[in-house]
Amino acid sequence: MNSFLGILKKLAVKLFRVEPLWKDASLAPPYDSERGTREALRRFLALERKINLVKNSRLREGYHSSMQKHIDSGMLERFDTYENLKDSFCDAVYDASNKEQFRALSPVHLVLQDKETHKIRTTIDYSGLNILLSRGSNLLPPIHEKVAELRAGKYVLALDITRQYIQIFTKHPSAQCILYRKDPKDAISIFRHNGLIMGNICSSNLAGSCMIEAGCIFDNMVKKSREQKLNWDDVYPPLAAAMGDGNILDPNSLPRHYSLKTIIKDSLYADNLIFSYDDASSLTKDVVACTLVLNAFSFKIHEAFSNLPSQLLEIENIVRGLGGHFQIHPSMAKFVTGQREGDLGQHHVSSPDEVINSSPVPNDTSPETSDSTPICSSTSIT
């Protein structure tokens, strides 16, 4: 993960590290570790035989490309060979008091996608281990309520959080292990998956909780800034610039009871943020705040969509001018083509050089749990 963390260090980006929602051992049904390990091996060998058929060359290339991408990013981390570790996995016992040491293997299967960039998705089948986990509270409102909210506002804007799950790290990667080798002649290796996985029943709750926690951290930053207790050196530079005197998120210009936590909670729907407002300027301010705060936790915003294209362009100019990440949905391109250099309106926007020079980057952003700084290093959610 060195290259990935090196980028985060330069940007003073924070990482979320979450605690899976394990059941108490006395309440969880028995888990047969040996059976789970053998089943993971059986399905891996079956997958390997399938992709190595001559007719499945494209499937094989897509599988290895997907796996290598996750290995290069640090999301998959080699543990050891299956031969060396198989006994420890077969003998593993789930103990709620020592969850960090629990080891488990899960099978992998491939999902074909209608996407040019990555046609093969490698998915972990976590169904065998979900009996040990709680789903957590449902953070998604009923769809009919969300539709009613959208109809109530004059302006609607939606954002998509890119690859949300793999930007969040788990504290227990040894319970999320899979098998892999590139060549059938090589020894089978065990890899730990460091992020949230789609098949884990508590991942949705944990991801949503991280989004809401990001808003809570911003609210605390605003409070500390007003009390002149905020260490600006520890703040993600684009966000620090936006919070500067006279800028769009200047704490002294925000309403006294402004709550980004509430805004994110009310707009969150899975890996999307959906806003419905009557006032365009309030919409701009809140979307910029959500975007930069999520950027500060390594989340990128893309596929922004709105019934007010000019507002999308203004938000894009503000966020990018501050050094953040914001991408308009390709289908909106025809509405904003030729306007990219348009007027930014009343908001002052610092140049990227001003952002970096005015907000020094912390020296240490290693992924260790720390709650002492506003937006740097990592945040733990249990």
Side-chain angles (χ1 to χ4, degrees):
M1 292 187 288
N2 290 337
S3 60
F4 177 63
L5 294 177
I7 294 172
L8 300 189
K9 181 175 180 180
K10 292 179 182 178
L11 297 177
V13 169
K14 195 170 188 173
L15 290 173
F16 278 113
R17 293 170 66 85
V18 296
E19 179 92 20
L21 303 179
W22 297 104
K23 293 179 180 177
D24 186 279
S26 62
L27 301 176
Y31 174 72
D32 190 334
S33 296
E34 182 173 2
R35 180 179 179 182
T37 301
R38 302 299 183 193
E39 177 65 8
L41 176 63
R42 183 191 70 79
R43 287 179 57 178
F44 169 76
L45 294 175
L47 173 63
E48 192 173 59
R49 287 193 297 271
K50 180 177 181 179
I51 65 172
N52 283 321
L53 294 174
V54 174
K55 66 178 181 179
N56 289 332
S57 59
R58 294 182 65 183
L59 190 66
R60 179 173 63 254
E61 292 171 4
Y63 167 60
H64 289 307
S65 174
S66 174
M67 293 294 291
Q68 192 61 51
K69 184 186 300 183
H70 287 306
I71 292 170
D72 292 341
S73 71
M75 193 51 56
L76 283 177
E77 181 181 15
R78 188 176 182 276
F79 200 169
D80 202 341
T81 65
Y82 173 77
E83 191 63 30
N84 289 343
L85 292 177
K86 65 179 180 181
D87 290 341
S88 66
F89 276 83
C90 288
D91 298 336
V93 176
Y94 171 65
D95 181 357
S97 64
N98 195 24
K99 301 183 290 291
E100 294 85 352
Q101 305 303 317
F102 177 60
R103 296 177 175 182
L105 274 172
S106 294
V108 166
H109 64 272
L110 305 183
V111 177
L112 299 179
Q113 300 184 125
D114 187 20
K115 295 183 178 181
E116 289 298 325
T117 53
H118 46 287
K119 295 185 177 182
I120 305 294
R121 171 181 285 182
T122 304
T123 306
I124 299 176
D125 182 355
Y126 214 64
S127 57
L129 285 155
N130 278 332
I131 59 172
L132 303 178
L133 294 157
S134 298
R135 189 178 298 275
S137 58
N138 183 11
L139 300 177
L140 303 183
I143 187 65
H144 64 275
E145 291 185 8
K146 181 56 68 175
V147 171
E149 288 177 15
L150 296 180
R151 290 176 174 174
K154 182 177 179 180
Y155 305 115
V156 175
L157 191 148
L159 308 175
D160 184 81
I161 303 169
T162 310
R163 306 171 75 191
Q164 182 190 40
Y165 280 15
I166 63 172
Q167 308 300 327
I168 302 171
F169 280 52
T170 179
K171 291 183 178 180
H172 304 154
S174 293
Q176 299 184 166
C177 291
I178 62 172
L179 299 173
Y180 178 66
R181 63 180 173 187
K182 193 165 186 178
D183 191 320
K185 297 177 182 178
D186 296 336
I188 300 173
S189 291
I190 294 178
F191 283 80
R192 289 180 286 212
H193 194 290
N194 290 310
L196 293 185
I197 57 177
M198 293 290 292
N200 187 320
I201 61 170
C202 64
S203 287
S204 176
N205 173 274
L206 292 172
S209 297
C210 288
M211 305 298 102
I212 295 170
E213 179 64 14
C216 184
I217 290 173
F218 175 78
D219 294 339
N220 289 334
M221 290 172 58
V222 170
K223 180 181 178 181
K224 287 184 178 180
S225 174
R226 288 169 174 166
E227 297 171 349
Q228 297 188 356
K229 295 180 179 179
L230 180 61
N231 183 0
W232 290 98
D233 289 352
D234 293 330
V235 181
Y236 174 61
L239 184 58
M243 295 175 69
D245 292 343
N247 276 3
I248 188 168
L249 300 180
D250 179 354
N252 294 319
S253 69
L254 295 175
R256 178 55 54 181
H257 300 293
Y258 186 84
S259 174
L260 192 63
K261 173 184 177 181
T262 301
I263 292 169
I264 291 178
K265 184 176 181 181
D266 291 344
S267 61
L268 186 66
Y269 199 86
D271 60 351
N272 299 279
L273 294 173
I274 306 173
F275 306 86
S276 179
Y277 283 53
D278 286 326
D279 180 65
S281 62
S282 295
L283 175 63
T284 297
K285 185 186 296 287
D286 291 352
V287 171
V288 169
C290 289
T291 298
L292 292 178
V293 167
L294 292 179
N295 283 176
F297 289 93
S298 81
F299 300 107
K300 292 184 177 181
I301 303 300
H302 75 157
E303 296 187 353
F305 194 93
S306 176
N307 64 345
L308 187 62
S310 61
Q311 204 72 11
L312 275 182
L313 185 59
E314 181 180 8
I315 293 169
E316 180 189 61
N317 286 334
I318 292 171
V319 171
R320 291 190 175 184
L322 292 165
H325 181 276
F326 185 90
Q327 186 179 57
I328 296 175
H329 196 289
S331 66
M332 299 291 295
K334 62 182 179 181
F335 300 107
V336 298
T337 299
Q339 304 178 44
R340 297 274 176 190
E341 302 301 325
D343 181 24
L344 299 183
Q346 61 181 340
H347 306 296
H348 168 71
V349 177
S350 305
S351 70
D353 287 340
E354 290 174 328
V355 172
I356 299 301
N357 293 334
S358 64
S359 304
V361 176
N363 293 324
D364 181 19
T365 54
S366 58
E368 296 299 325
T369 300
S370 171
D371 298 308
S372 60
T373 55
I375 294 195
C376 66
S377 188
S378 64
T379 290
S380 172
I381 291 186
T382 57

